[in-house]
């Protein structure tokens, strides 16, 4: 019988984390977005550590969407369920007499009333999501559920999620490019102005040293 015991590679220092990230960056077990990118791996591991996720779980469940780190819907729920104030969650689909479908998420935090969040077909239509190519066409009820869940988890357990939203929600947002008004005039320093600023900075140094000497005495 083998004496090999299960073990976990968890970096405990920055040096170990850097070496760890470099080691696994070329692994085929790492999601495509992280392959060959030890720097991104390091950041994802750090995000996961703040959420209570081990390194490999962080890489599997954290994704960068539109330049922001996000969590898969099930991972977000897992993070919340580890919180000491978590009590329960209930998710279901409601449908009224007119056929309106709404996903409902009820979540309970200790010493708080149950919180209800919902996302309906009408809301999805207004947001331009329903019928969109991809998951919204293939699994509309599941996507409604993920939206309701994401809102509920963030409303009640913002401290556990630390500002991260679900990947499913982030993928639905459009990227809006920053627009610079034409009236804004580019700011340029003349050579004389730059030299003047540098001279002022240099002149403050003796004053700073004098203040430090007085404090020390």
């Amino acid at each position: 019988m083998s004496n090999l015991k299960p073990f976990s590679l968890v970096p405990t220092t920055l040096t170990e984390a850097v070496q760890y990230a470099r080691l696994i960056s070329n692994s085929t077990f790492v999601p495509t977005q992280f392959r060959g990118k030890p720097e991104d791996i390091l950041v994802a591991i750090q995000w996961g550590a703040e959420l209570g996720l081990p390194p490999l779980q962080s890489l599997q469940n954290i994704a960068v969407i539109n330049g922001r780190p996000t969590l898969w819907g099930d991972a977000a729920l897992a993070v919340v369920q580890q919180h000491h104030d978590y009590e329960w969650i209930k998710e279901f689909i409601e449908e009224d007499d007119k056929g309106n479908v709404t996903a409902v998420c009820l979540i309970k935090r200790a010493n708080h009333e149950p919180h209800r969040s919902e996302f309906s077909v009408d809301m999805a239509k207004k947001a331009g999501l329903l019928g969109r190519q991809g998951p919204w066409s293939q699994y509309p009820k599941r996507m409604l559920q993920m939206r309701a869940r994401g809102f509920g988890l963030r409303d009640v357990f913002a401290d556990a999620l630390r500002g991260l939203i679900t990947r499913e929600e982030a993928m639905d947002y459009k990227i809006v490019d920053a627009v610079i008004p034409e009236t804004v005039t580019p700011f340029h320093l003349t050579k004389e102005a730059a030299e003047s600023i540098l001279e002022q900075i240099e002149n403050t140094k003796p004053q700073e040293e004098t203040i430090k000497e007085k404090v020390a005495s």
Side-chain angles (χ1 to χ4, degrees), residues 2-11 20 23-24 54-57:
S2 173
N3 293 323
L4 182 64
K5 297 180 179 180
F7 67 95
S8 177
L9 294 174
V10 180
Y20 182 88
L23 178 65
I24 66 175
L56 291 181
Q57 287 188 25

Side-chain angles (χ1 to χ4, degrees), residues 73-78 80-81 86 88-94 102-108 115-119 141-153 166 168:
D74 292 333
L77 178 57
V80 166
Q81 288 177 327
Y86 170 81
W88 50 259
I89 186 172
K90 296 179 181 179
E91 297 176 294
F92 50 90
I93 299 292
E94 288 183 343
T102 301
V104 179
C105 175
L106 296 175
I107 186 167
K108 178 69 168 66
H115 176 80
R116 176 187 173 107
S117 63
E118 57 186 46
F119 201 77
K141 288 187 177 180
R142 176 68 173 173
M143 296 306 292
L144 290 173
Q145 176 190 354
M146 289 295 100
R147 273 304 188 93
R149 175 191 293 181
F151 291 154
L153 295 180
T166 62
E168 293 83 0

